[in-house]
Amino acid sequence: MKNYLHIFIKGAFVLFLIAYLTVLYTSDSAKNVPMEQIAQTMEQDSDITSLNKETRSDLKHYYQTDDRNIDGYFFYKAASSMAVEEICIMKATDNTQANTLLENANAHLSSQKQVFEGYGTDQMALLNNAVVGKKGNYVYYMCGADAQNWRTAFLSMI
């Protein structure tokens, strides 16, 4: 009897470990949604389209990323240099590149905080509530009054 209990406990532990590793492995996965489809959905939000659509040179300037090396991007930023509203979604070719893009997005947020620290209280409030993250091969940076809603809308697509 004691031997069966020991085998049962080991089996239960192995099953739990397999389930746990499966959840960990799939928690960062995302559907392969084309950037054009993401853009069409996100551009339905007038708060996003009121921002300026940015170019590949802006992507390189703010995120140190060449658009020719990634699978696509969606980038809108406020026209004024005194505004911090911005949304950038980049699709990496693989997980390693996605991690690099995430580092660049976090560095951009830190840079923005340094610029506005001490005198831009409204901007700092937005920057402190900015969302930066990675899901699968997608990396996102969202800063604005609706950043949480943008994040939710984006993540529901992927």
Side-chain angles (χ1 to χ4, degrees):
M1 181 70 175
K2 197 175 193 181
N3 194 23
Y4 290 120
L5 181 61
H6 186 60
I7 292 172
F8 176 75
I9 291 172
K10 281 183 179 180
F13 181 70
V14 167
L15 289 175
F16 172 76
L17 187 59
I18 290 170
Y20 178 71
L21 291 174
T22 301
V23 168
L24 279 179
Y25 179 74
T26 59
S27 66
D28 190 40
S29 65
K31 293 185 283 187
N32 187 14
V33 180
M35 286 305 296
E36 296 78 21
Q37 184 179 341
I38 292 171
Q40 284 177 343
T41 302
M42 299 304 285
E43 286 172 344
Q44 292 175 4
D45 187 330
S46 62
D47 288 335
I48 292 175
T49 55
S50 68
L51 303 173
N52 286 348
K53 188 171 186 173
E54 300 298 319
T55 64
R56 65 189 333 191
S57 62
D58 296 312
L59 186 69
K60 188 167 187 149
H61 173 75
Y62 293 110
Y63 294 95
Q64 294 72 50
T65 302
D66 189 341
D67 73 317
R68 292 173 286 202
N69 297 333
I70 60 176
D71 278 346
Y73 70 96
F74 174 82
F75 187 18
Y76 280 77
K77 186 168 177 45
S80 170
S81 61
M82 292 304 295
V84 294
E85 289 82 1
E86 179 176 345
I87 178 170
C88 184
I89 301 169
M90 298 172 278
K91 185 177 179 185
T93 56
D94 58 36
N95 193 47
T96 303
Q97 185 183 45
N99 288 330
T100 301
L101 293 174
L102 180 60
E103 289 174 14
N104 293 350
N106 280 317
H108 176 60
L109 178 59
S110 295
S111 172
Q112 288 286 82
K113 285 181 177 181
Q114 285 178 343
V115 168
F116 290 100
E117 189 174 23
Y119 72 91
T121 55
D122 293 340
Q123 293 91 339
M124 283 303 293
L126 291 173
L127 289 167
N128 286 331
N129 291 318
V131 289
V132 178
K134 175 176 115 29
K135 180 82 172 167
N137 286 345
Y138 297 91
V139 173
Y140 55 90
Y141 173 100
M142 300 171 184
C143 183
D146 288 335
Q148 293 296 336
N149 293 333
W150 295 344
R151 179 182 177 268
T152 302
F154 168 64
L155 291 178
S156 70
M157 283 186 280
I158 62 167

